[in-house]
Amino acid sequence: MRENTAKRKMLAGQPAFGYTLQLYAPLVAEALASCGIDFILIDTQHGTFGPDGLIDTLVALTHGTAVPMVRVARNDYTLIGRALDDGALGIIVPLVNSRADAQAVADACHFPPRGTRSLGWGRARVYGADYPDWIDRELFVAVQIETITAVEHADEILAVDGIDGCWIGPADLALSLGIDYRRAADDPRHAEAIAHVLGVCHQLGKVPGFAAYSIPDAQARAAQGFRFVTAGSDIGFLVNGALEGVRALGLTAQTGPGYGA
């Protein structure tokens, strides 16, 4: 059995912090998995992972202390099932806008009678022959609240049995509100939408999550009450470290897409 220590922390009311992987680089995944972070989120929606890349990365995370989680590319029964069969202990699904969307996520993630997940697995057999006995309990399932439609239906979405919590995508939420995502922090509509989802989570006993922009932002979101918090990414650490070095060397740091603001 593999205990989901990140889920344990969240259910105990403590924040669990994670790093996101966007680059297909198993050695980087292996290094980050043992650094002390609570979970690693493999991003197959926006990251550079194909099916084999996902498996390679999950293998690289096997002996680390961080809990392996996967953001699937879309709300799809087969994609969710394959990520679980490959060994994910957390599933995050983007663009969930209704109760029906959330029910589809819950069904795909859990074995009958709770859900409709097909019984059978590949790489997940590394967890032992008792895998089907405990995976429904240890699995963390989060839906992304990242549109104003999802915010307005957050109570219906998060009330679905089998959904443990949410993960707010602040940039897409800003775009949905007609706000420049780079200036969202200055717009009260953005803050109100986030606060509403946080309140719904607390009312329903679900885990509120947030995709933070930085370590300080992650700390602030945890203090606000969020418990599933991503605090940075492999590409972000790489680029930001490189930019710090460039500045220290007296060179002109580049700005623009991929190089900060």
Side-chain angles (χ1 to χ4, degrees), residues 217-256:
D217 187 32
Q219 293 171 317
R221 295 301 178 180
Q224 188 180 358
F226 288 96
R227 284 181 275 153
F228 177 66
V229 185
T230 47
S233 68
D234 50 0
I235 185 64
F237 296 141
L238 178 64
V239 170
N240 289 332
L243 289 174
E244 288 180 10
V246 165
R247 296 186 184 101
L249 292 168
L251 303 174
T252 301
Q254 298 296 309
T255 59

PDB file of all heavy atoms in Angstrom, residues 217-256:
ATOM      1  N   ASP A 217       3.271  33.690  -2.965  1.00  0.00           N
ATOM      2  CA  ASP A 217       1.846  33.580  -3.252  1.00  0.00           C
ATOM      3  C   ASP A 217       1.274  32.302  -2.649  1.00  0.00           C
ATOM      4  O   ASP A 217       0.171  32.302  -2.086  1.00  0.00           O
ATOM      5  CB  ASP A 217       1.621  33.603  -4.764  1.00  0.00           C
ATOM      6  CG  ASP A 217       0.142  33.659  -5.149  1.00  0.00           C
ATOM      7  OD1 ASP A 217      -0.645  34.256  -4.391  1.00  0.00           O
ATOM      8  OD2 ASP A 217      -0.216  33.101  -6.208  1.00  0.00           O
ATOM      9  N   ALA A 218       2.027  31.208  -2.728  1.00  0.00           N
ATOM     10  CA  ALA A 218       1.581  29.950  -2.137  1.00  0.00           C
ATOM     11  C   ALA A 218       1.421  30.087  -0.623  1.00  0.00           C
ATOM     12  O   ALA A 218       0.451  29.585  -0.043  1.00  0.00           O
ATOM     13  CB  ALA A 218       2.573  28.835  -2.462  1.00  0.00           C
ATOM     14  N   GLN A 219       2.358  30.759   0.017  1.00  0.00           N
ATOM     15  CA  GLN A 219       2.272  30.975   1.464  1.00  0.00           C
ATOM     16  C   GLN A 219       1.044  31.812   1.813  1.00  0.00           C
ATOM     17  O   GLN A 219       0.332  31.528   2.785  1.00  0.00           O
ATOM     18  CB  GLN A 219       3.545  31.658   1.958  1.00  0.00           C
ATOM     19  CG  GLN A 219       4.787  30.788   1.853  1.00  0.00           C
ATOM     20  CD  GLN A 219       6.059  31.553   2.153  1.00  0.00           C
ATOM     21  OE1 GLN A 219       6.246  32.691   1.696  1.00  0.00           O
ATOM     22  NE2 GLN A 219       6.954  30.941   2.916  1.00  0.00           N
ATOM     23  N   ALA A 220       0.780  32.831   0.996  1.00  0.00           N
ATOM     24  CA  ALA A 220      -0.370  33.689   1.245  1.00  0.00           C
ATOM     25  C   ALA A 220      -1.680  32.930   1.041  1.00  0.00           C
ATOM     26  O   ALA A 220      -2.637  33.106   1.814  1.00  0.00           O
ATOM     27  CB  ALA A 220      -0.313  34.912   0.327  1.00  0.00           C
ATOM     28  N   ARG A 221      -1.720  32.079   0.018  1.00  0.00           N
ATOM     29  CA  ARG A 221      -2.941  31.307  -0.230  1.00  0.00           C
ATOM     30  C   ARG A 221      -3.193  30.280   0.869  1.00  0.00           C
ATOM     31  O   ARG A 221      -4.333  30.032   1.260  1.00  0.00           O
ATOM     32  CB  ARG A 221      -2.859  30.616  -1.597  1.00  0.00           C
ATOM     33  CG  ARG A 221      -2.824  31.589  -2.766  1.00  0.00           C
ATOM     34  CD  ARG A 221      -4.032  32.497  -2.814  1.00  0.00           C
ATOM     35  NE  ARG A 221      -3.952  33.462  -3.907  1.00  0.00           N
ATOM     36  CZ  ARG A 221      -4.874  34.371  -4.166  1.00  0.00           C
ATOM     37  NH1 ARG A 221      -5.954  34.464  -3.409  1.00  0.00           N
ATOM     38  NH2 ARG A 221      -4.738  35.212  -5.177  1.00  0.00           N
ATOM     39  N   ALA A 222      -2.128  29.688   1.373  1.00  0.00           N
ATOM     40  CA  ALA A 222      -2.275  28.752   2.493  1.00  0.00           C
ATOM     41  C   ALA A 222      -2.810  29.482   3.722  1.00  0.00           C
ATOM     42  O   ALA A 222      -3.678  28.966   4.438  1.00  0.00           O
ATOM     43  CB  ALA A 222      -0.941  28.084   2.802  1.00  0.00           C
ATOM     44  N   ALA A 223      -2.300  30.684   3.961  1.00  0.00           N
ATOM     45  CA  ALA A 223      -2.777  31.483   5.091  1.00  0.00           C
ATOM     46  C   ALA A 223      -4.237  31.880   4.903  1.00  0.00           C
ATOM     47  O   ALA A 223      -4.982  32.041   5.877  1.00  0.00           O
ATOM     48  CB  ALA A 223      -1.908  32.729   5.254  1.00  0.00           C
ATOM     49  N   GLN A 224      -4.663  32.008   3.648  1.00  0.00           N
ATOM     50  CA  GLN A 224      -6.051  32.355   3.333  1.00  0.00           C
ATOM     51  C   GLN A 224      -6.992  31.186   3.582  1.00  0.00           C
ATOM     52  O   GLN A 224      -8.201  31.371   3.736  1.00  0.00           O
ATOM     53  CB  GLN A 224      -6.122  32.794   1.863  1.00  0.00           C
ATOM     54  CG  GLN A 224      -7.452  33.373   1.425  1.00  0.00           C
ATOM     55  CD  GLN A 224      -7.436  33.792  -0.041  1.00  0.00           C
ATOM     56  OE1 GLN A 224      -6.410  33.683  -0.726  1.00  0.00           O
ATOM     57  NE2 GLN A 224      -8.564  34.267  -0.548  1.00  0.00           N
ATOM     58  N   GLY A 225      -6.442  29.964   3.621  1.00  0.00           N
ATOM     59  CA  GLY A 225      -7.265  28.788   3.885  1.00  0.00           C
ATOM     60  C   GLY A 225      -7.197  27.713   2.831  1.00  0.00           C
ATOM     61  O   GLY A 225      -7.853  26.673   2.962  1.00  0.00           O
ATOM     62  N   PHE A 226      -6.398  27.923   1.785  1.00  0.00           N
ATOM     63  CA  PHE A 226      -6.257  26.894   0.761  1.00  0.00           C
ATOM     64  C   PHE A 226      -5.331  25.783   1.263  1.00  0.00           C
ATOM     65  O   PHE A 226      -4.347  26.049   1.946  1.00  0.00           O
ATOM     66  CB  PHE A 226      -5.715  27.504  -0.536  1.00  0.00           C
ATOM     67  CG  PHE A 226      -6.727  28.355  -1.248  1.00  0.00           C
ATOM     68  CD1 PHE A 226      -6.757  29.726  -1.067  1.00  0.00           C
ATOM     69  CD2 PHE A 226      -7.681  27.769  -2.063  1.00  0.00           C
ATOM     70  CE1 PHE A 226      -7.710  30.516  -1.699  1.00  0.00           C
ATOM     71  CE2 PHE A 226      -8.637  28.545  -2.708  1.00  0.00           C
ATOM     72  CZ  PHE A 226      -8.652  29.927  -2.525  1.00  0.00           C
ATOM     73  N   ARG A 227      -5.674  24.531   0.870  1.00  0.00           N
ATOM     74  CA  ARG A 227      -4.910  23.394   1.401  1.00  0.00           C
ATOM     75  C   ARG A 227      -4.229  22.549   0.334  1.00  0.00           C
ATOM     76  O   ARG A 227      -3.349  21.752   0.656  1.00  0.00           O
ATOM     77  CB  ARG A 227      -5.835  22.512   2.254  1.00  0.00           C
ATOM     78  CG  ARG A 227      -6.130  23.106   3.620  1.00  0.00           C
ATOM     79  CD  ARG A 227      -7.015  22.194   4.433  1.00  0.00           C
ATOM     80  NE  ARG A 227      -8.430  22.399   4.120  1.00  0.00           N
ATOM     81  CZ  ARG A 227      -9.372  21.462   4.252  1.00  0.00           C
ATOM     82  NH1 ARG A 227      -9.048  20.244   4.640  1.00  0.00           N
ATOM     83  NH2 ARG A 227     -10.621  21.722   3.955  1.00  0.00           N
ATOM     84  N   PHE A 228      -4.634  22.681  -0.905  1.00  0.00           N
ATOM     85  CA  PHE A 228      -3.990  21.990  -2.022  1.00  0.00           C
ATOM     86  C   PHE A 228      -3.350  23.076  -2.887  1.00  0.00           C
ATOM     87  O   PHE A 228      -4.019  23.709  -3.703  1.00  0.00           O
ATOM     88  CB  PHE A 228      -5.026  21.179  -2.806  1.00  0.00           C
ATOM     89  CG  PHE A 228      -4.471  20.480  -4.021  1.00  0.00           C
ATOM     90  CD1 PHE A 228      -3.547  19.451  -3.886  1.00  0.00           C
ATOM     91  CD2 PHE A 228      -4.883  20.826  -5.296  1.00  0.00           C
ATOM     92  CE1 PHE A 228      -3.043  18.796  -5.007  1.00  0.00           C
ATOM     93  CE2 PHE A 228      -4.395  20.182  -6.417  1.00  0.00           C
ATOM     94  CZ  PHE A 228      -3.469  19.170  -6.270  1.00  0.00           C
ATOM     95  N   VAL A 229      -2.064  23.310  -2.652  1.00  0.00           N
ATOM     96  CA  VAL A 229      -1.434  24.504  -3.216  1.00  0.00           C
ATOM     97  C   VAL A 229      -0.175  24.146  -3.992  1.00  0.00           C
ATOM     98  O   VAL A 229       0.769  23.570  -3.440  1.00  0.00           O
ATOM     99  CB  VAL A 229      -1.067  25.507  -2.102  1.00  0.00           C
ATOM    100  CG1 VAL A 229      -0.516  26.795  -2.701  1.00  0.00           C
ATOM    101  CG2 VAL A 229      -2.275  25.812  -1.213  1.00  0.00           C
ATOM    102  N   THR A 230      -0.172  24.471  -5.280  1.00  0.00           N
ATOM    103  CA  THR A 230       1.056  24.338  -6.061  1.00  0.00           C
ATOM    104  C   THR A 230       1.851  25.631  -5.929  1.00  0.00           C
ATOM    105  O   THR A 230       1.289  26.726  -5.965  1.00  0.00           O
ATOM    106  CB  THR A 230       0.748  24.043  -7.532  1.00  0.00           C
ATOM    107  OG1 THR A 230      -0.267  24.937  -8.004  1.00  0.00           O
ATOM    108  CG2 THR A 230       0.298  22.611  -7.705  1.00  0.00           C
ATOM    109  N   ALA A 231       3.177  25.481  -5.792  1.00  0.00           N
ATOM    110  CA  ALA A 231       4.011  26.621  -5.433  1.00  0.00           C
ATOM    111  C   ALA A 231       5.110  26.921  -6.445  1.00  0.00           C
ATOM    112  O   ALA A 231       5.987  27.743  -6.173  1.00  0.00           O
ATOM    113  CB  ALA A 231       4.640  26.370  -4.056  1.00  0.00           C
ATOM    114  N   GLY A 232       5.073  26.275  -7.604  1.00  0.00           N
ATOM    115  CA  GLY A 232       6.102  26.518  -8.604  1.00  0.00           C
ATOM    116  C   GLY A 232       6.190  25.350  -9.556  1.00  0.00           C
ATOM    117  O   GLY A 232       5.542  24.311  -9.358  1.00  0.00           O
ATOM    118  N   SER A 233       6.980  25.517 -10.612  1.00  0.00           N
ATOM    119  CA  SER A 233       7.124  24.474 -11.627  1.00  0.00           C
ATOM    120  C   SER A 233       8.576  24.292 -12.012  1.00  0.00           C
ATOM    121  O   SER A 233       9.414  25.175 -11.779  1.00  0.00           O
ATOM    122  CB  SER A 233       6.317  24.839 -12.875  1.00  0.00           C
ATOM    123  OG  SER A 233       6.890  25.960 -13.531  1.00  0.00           O
ATOM    124  N   ASP A 234       8.866  23.160 -12.628  1.00  0.00           N
ATOM    125  CA  ASP A 234      10.235  22.883 -13.062  1.00  0.00           C
ATOM    126  C   ASP A 234      10.746  23.953 -14.027  1.00  0.00           C
ATOM    127  O   ASP A 234      11.839  24.490 -13.851  1.00  0.00           O
ATOM    128  CB  ASP A 234      10.337  21.484 -13.680  1.00  0.00           C
ATOM    129  CG  ASP A 234       9.286  21.196 -14.751  1.00  0.00           C
ATOM    130  OD1 ASP A 234       8.450  22.084 -15.042  1.00  0.00           O
ATOM    131  OD2 ASP A 234       9.290  20.068 -15.282  1.00  0.00           O
ATOM    132  N   ILE A 235       9.950  24.310 -15.039  1.00  0.00           N
ATOM    133  CA  ILE A 235      10.386  25.318 -16.001  1.00  0.00           C
ATOM    134  C   ILE A 235      10.520  26.688 -15.342  1.00  0.00           C
ATOM    135  O   ILE A 235      11.436  27.460 -15.656  1.00  0.00           O
ATOM    136  CB  ILE A 235       9.421  25.376 -17.216  1.00  0.00           C
ATOM    137  CG1 ILE A 235       9.936  26.337 -18.279  1.00  0.00           C
ATOM    138  CG2 ILE A 235       8.018  25.740 -16.782  1.00  0.00           C
ATOM    139  CD1 ILE A 235      11.227  25.945 -18.919  1.00  0.00           C
ATOM    140  N   GLY A 236       9.638  26.982 -14.385  1.00  0.00           N
ATOM    141  CA  GLY A 236       9.729  28.255 -13.675  1.00  0.00           C
ATOM    142  C   GLY A 236      10.998  28.357 -12.850  1.00  0.00           C
ATOM    143  O   GLY A 236      11.682  29.391 -12.865  1.00  0.00           O
ATOM    144  N   PHE A 237      11.330  27.276 -12.132  1.00  0.00           N
ATOM    145  CA  PHE A 237      12.559  27.280 -11.343  1.00  0.00           C
ATOM    146  C   PHE A 237      13.781  27.421 -12.242  1.00  0.00           C
ATOM    147  O   PHE A 237      14.722  28.151 -11.929  1.00  0.00           O
ATOM    148  CB  PHE A 237      12.669  25.995 -10.525  1.00  0.00           C
ATOM    149  CG  PHE A 237      11.594  25.829  -9.484  1.00  0.00           C
ATOM    150  CD1 PHE A 237      11.034  24.582  -9.241  1.00  0.00           C
ATOM    151  CD2 PHE A 237      11.131  26.905  -8.752  1.00  0.00           C
ATOM    152  CE1 PHE A 237      10.045  24.422  -8.285  1.00  0.00           C
ATOM    153  CE2 PHE A 237      10.140  26.761  -7.795  1.00  0.00           C
ATOM    154  CZ  PHE A 237       9.591  25.518  -7.562  1.00  0.00           C
ATOM    155  N   LEU A 238      13.765  26.727 -13.364  1.00  0.00           N
ATOM    156  CA  LEU A 238      14.893  26.757 -14.286  1.00  0.00           C
ATOM    157  C   LEU A 238      15.093  28.162 -14.864  1.00  0.00           C
ATOM    158  O   LEU A 238      16.202  28.715 -14.832  1.00  0.00           O
ATOM    159  CB  LEU A 238      14.664  25.748 -15.411  1.00  0.00           C
ATOM    160  CG  LEU A 238      15.729  25.669 -16.503  1.00  0.00           C
ATOM    161  CD1 LEU A 238      17.050  25.200 -15.916  1.00  0.00           C
ATOM    162  CD2 LEU A 238      15.273  24.718 -17.613  1.00  0.00           C
ATOM    163  N   VAL A 239      14.021  28.741 -15.386  1.00  0.00           N
ATOM    164  CA  VAL A 239      14.124  30.056 -16.017  1.00  0.00           C
ATOM    165  C   VAL A 239      14.440  31.141 -14.995  1.00  0.00           C
ATOM    166  O   VAL A 239      15.309  32.000 -15.221  1.00  0.00           O
ATOM    167  CB  VAL A 239      12.824  30.381 -16.783  1.00  0.00           C
ATOM    168  CG1 VAL A 239      12.821  31.841 -17.237  1.00  0.00           C
ATOM    169  CG2 VAL A 239      12.670  29.461 -17.980  1.00  0.00           C
ATOM    170  N   ASN A 240      13.766  31.109 -13.845  1.00  0.00           N
ATOM    171  CA  ASN A 240      14.014  32.137 -12.834  1.00  0.00           C
ATOM    172  C   ASN A 240      15.436  32.056 -12.285  1.00  0.00           C
ATOM    173  O   ASN A 240      16.082  33.082 -12.039  1.00  0.00           O
ATOM    174  CB  ASN A 240      12.995  32.025 -11.698  1.00  0.00           C
ATOM    175  CG  ASN A 240      11.609  32.451 -12.132  1.00  0.00           C
ATOM    176  OD1 ASN A 240      11.455  33.282 -13.027  1.00  0.00           O
ATOM    177  ND2 ASN A 240      10.591  31.878 -11.512  1.00  0.00           N
ATOM    178  N   GLY A 241      15.938  30.830 -12.103  1.00  0.00           N
ATOM    179  CA  GLY A 241      17.321  30.673 -11.656  1.00  0.00           C
ATOM    180  C   GLY A 241      18.299  31.203 -12.688  1.00  0.00           C
ATOM    181  O   GLY A 241      19.297  31.857 -12.355  1.00  0.00           O
ATOM    182  N   ALA A 242      18.002  30.939 -13.965  1.00  0.00           N
ATOM    183  CA  ALA A 242      18.860  31.435 -15.033  1.00  0.00           C
ATOM    184  C   ALA A 242      18.849  32.965 -15.080  1.00  0.00           C
ATOM    185  O   ALA A 242      19.896  33.608 -15.264  1.00  0.00           O
ATOM    186  CB  ALA A 242      18.416  30.858 -16.366  1.00  0.00           C
ATOM    187  N   LEU A 243      17.682  33.567 -14.917  1.00  0.00           N
ATOM    188  CA  LEU A 243      17.577  35.023 -14.944  1.00  0.00           C
ATOM    189  C   LEU A 243      18.329  35.658 -13.774  1.00  0.00           C
ATOM    190  O   LEU A 243      18.978  36.706 -13.931  1.00  0.00           O
ATOM    191  CB  LEU A 243      16.106  35.443 -14.915  1.00  0.00           C
ATOM    192  CG  LEU A 243      15.298  35.179 -16.186  1.00  0.00           C
ATOM    193  CD1 LEU A 243      13.836  35.511 -15.957  1.00  0.00           C
ATOM    194  CD2 LEU A 243      15.850  35.977 -17.353  1.00  0.00           C
ATOM    195  N   GLU A 244      18.246  35.038 -12.608  1.00  0.00           N
ATOM    196  CA  GLU A 244      19.000  35.559 -11.456  1.00  0.00           C
ATOM    197  C   GLU A 244      20.492  35.536 -11.749  1.00  0.00           C
ATOM    198  O   GLU A 244      21.233  36.471 -11.420  1.00  0.00           O
ATOM    199  CB  GLU A 244      18.693  34.728 -10.207  1.00  0.00           C
ATOM    200  CG  GLU A 244      17.303  34.953  -9.646  1.00  0.00           C
ATOM    201  CD  GLU A 244      17.038  34.105  -8.420  1.00  0.00           C
ATOM    202  OE1 GLU A 244      18.001  33.487  -7.899  1.00  0.00           O
ATOM    203  OE2 GLU A 244      15.880  34.052  -7.981  1.00  0.00           O
ATOM    204  N   GLY A 245      20.956  34.463 -12.384  1.00  0.00           N
ATOM    205  CA  GLY A 245      22.363  34.367 -12.742  1.00  0.00           C
ATOM    206  C   GLY A 245      22.764  35.416 -13.761  1.00  0.00           C
ATOM    207  O   GLY A 245      23.837  36.024 -13.659  1.00  0.00           O
ATOM    208  N   VAL A 246      21.924  35.638 -14.751  1.00  0.00           N
ATOM    209  CA  VAL A 246      22.202  36.643 -15.774  1.00  0.00           C
ATOM    210  C   VAL A 246      22.350  38.024 -15.129  1.00  0.00           C
ATOM    211  O   VAL A 246      23.283  38.775 -15.439  1.00  0.00           O
ATOM    212  CB  VAL A 246      21.078  36.639 -16.841  1.00  0.00           C
ATOM    213  CG1 VAL A 246      21.148  37.897 -17.702  1.00  0.00           C
ATOM    214  CG2 VAL A 246      21.186  35.399 -17.712  1.00  0.00           C
ATOM    215  N   ARG A 247      21.429  38.342 -14.237  1.00  0.00           N
ATOM    216  CA  ARG A 247      21.501  39.647 -13.577  1.00  0.00           C
ATOM    217  C   ARG A 247      22.751  39.759 -12.713  1.00  0.00           C
ATOM    218  O   ARG A 247      23.415  40.808 -12.682  1.00  0.00           O
ATOM    219  CB  ARG A 247      20.240  39.872 -12.729  1.00  0.00           C
ATOM    220  CG  ARG A 247      18.951  39.952 -13.550  1.00  0.00           C
ATOM    221  CD  ARG A 247      17.767  40.330 -12.680  1.00  0.00           C
ATOM    222  NE  ARG A 247      16.527  40.305 -13.447  1.00  0.00           N
ATOM    223  CZ  ARG A 247      15.638  39.326 -13.414  1.00  0.00           C
ATOM    224  NH1 ARG A 247      15.844  38.267 -12.625  1.00  0.00           N
ATOM    225  NH2 ARG A 247      14.537  39.381 -14.138  1.00  0.00           N
ATOM    226  N   ALA A 248      23.078  38.690 -12.000  1.00  0.00           N
ATOM    227  CA  ALA A 248      24.266  38.707 -11.144  1.00  0.00           C
ATOM    228  C   ALA A 248      25.542  38.872 -11.952  1.00  0.00           C
ATOM    229  O   ALA A 248      26.537  39.439 -11.475  1.00  0.00           O
ATOM    230  CB  ALA A 248      24.333  37.417 -10.321  1.00  0.00           C
ATOM    231  N   LEU A 249      25.524  38.399 -13.200  1.00  0.00           N
ATOM    232  CA  LEU A 249      26.685  38.521 -14.072  1.00  0.00           C
ATOM    233  C   LEU A 249      26.762  39.879 -14.768  1.00  0.00           C
ATOM    234  O   LEU A 249      27.680  40.140 -15.539  1.00  0.00           O
ATOM    235  CB  LEU A 249      26.653  37.410 -15.127  1.00  0.00           C
ATOM    236  CG  LEU A 249      26.876  35.983 -14.596  1.00  0.00           C
ATOM    237  CD1 LEU A 249      26.528  34.963 -15.665  1.00  0.00           C
ATOM    238  CD2 LEU A 249      28.309  35.801 -14.106  1.00  0.00           C
ATOM    239  N   GLY A 250      25.790  40.721 -14.497  1.00  0.00           N
ATOM    240  CA  GLY A 250      25.790  42.049 -15.088  1.00  0.00           C
ATOM    241  C   GLY A 250      25.273  42.086 -16.507  1.00  0.00           C
ATOM    242  O   GLY A 250      25.498  43.062 -17.238  1.00  0.00           O
ATOM    243  N   LEU A 251      24.562  41.031 -16.917  1.00  0.00           N
ATOM    244  CA  LEU A 251      24.012  40.972 -18.262  1.00  0.00           C
ATOM    245  C   LEU A 251      22.560  41.453 -18.257  1.00  0.00           C
ATOM    246  O   LEU A 251      21.958  41.647 -17.196  1.00  0.00           O
ATOM    247  CB  LEU A 251      24.096  39.539 -18.793  1.00  0.00           C
ATOM    248  CG  LEU A 251      25.502  38.921 -18.815  1.00  0.00           C
ATOM    249  CD1 LEU A 251      25.426  37.466 -19.227  1.00  0.00           C
ATOM    250  CD2 LEU A 251      26.414  39.707 -19.749  1.00  0.00           C
ATOM    251  N   THR A 252      22.002  41.643 -19.427  1.00  0.00           N
ATOM    252  CA  THR A 252      20.625  42.119 -19.543  1.00  0.00           C
ATOM    253  C   THR A 252      19.682  40.920 -19.585  1.00  0.00           C
ATOM    254  O   THR A 252      19.741  40.106 -20.521  1.00  0.00           O
ATOM    255  CB  THR A 252      20.443  42.956 -20.818  1.00  0.00           C
ATOM    256  OG1 THR A 252      21.338  44.074 -20.772  1.00  0.00           O
ATOM    257  CG2 THR A 252      19.007  43.462 -20.917  1.00  0.00           C
ATOM    258  N   ALA A 253      18.834  40.804 -18.582  1.00  0.00           N
ATOM    259  CA  ALA A 253      17.882  39.703 -18.521  1.00  0.00           C
ATOM    260  C   ALA A 253      16.792  39.897 -19.562  1.00  0.00           C
ATOM    261  O   ALA A 253      16.255  40.999 -19.724  1.00  0.00           O
ATOM    262  CB  ALA A 253      17.269  39.610 -17.126  1.00  0.00           C
ATOM    263  N   GLN A 254      16.472  38.834 -20.290  1.00  0.00           N
ATOM    264  CA  GLN A 254      15.421  38.890 -21.290  1.00  0.00           C
ATOM    265  C   GLN A 254      14.044  38.863 -20.613  1.00  0.00           C
ATOM    266  O   GLN A 254      13.870  38.281 -19.541  1.00  0.00           O
ATOM    267  CB  GLN A 254      15.530  37.706 -22.250  1.00  0.00           C
ATOM    268  CG  GLN A 254      16.825  37.674 -23.027  1.00  0.00           C
ATOM    269  CD  GLN A 254      16.966  38.875 -23.943  1.00  0.00           C
ATOM    270  OE1 GLN A 254      16.054  39.166 -24.711  1.00  0.00           O
ATOM    271  NE2 GLN A 254      18.093  39.558 -23.866  1.00  0.00           N
ATOM    272  N   THR A 255      13.089  39.500 -21.233  1.00  0.00           N
ATOM    273  CA  THR A 255      11.711  39.471 -20.749  1.00  0.00           C
ATOM    274  C   THR A 255      10.808  39.040 -21.889  1.00  0.00           C
ATOM    275  O   THR A 255      11.203  39.008 -23.042  1.00  0.00           O
ATOM    276  CB  THR A 255      11.259  40.846 -20.237  1.00  0.00           C
ATOM    277  OG1 THR A 255      11.360  41.797 -21.304  1.00  0.00           O
ATOM    278  CG2 THR A 255      12.114  41.300 -19.064  1.00  0.00           C
ATOM    279  N   GLY A 256       9.579  38.709 -21.536  1.00  0.00           N
ATOM    280  CA  GLY A 256       8.642  38.254 -22.546  1.00  0.00           C
ATOM    281  C   GLY A 256       8.202  36.848 -22.259  1.00  0.00           C
ATOM    282  O   GLY A 256       8.473  36.303 -21.170  1.00  0.00           O
TER     283      GLY A 256
END
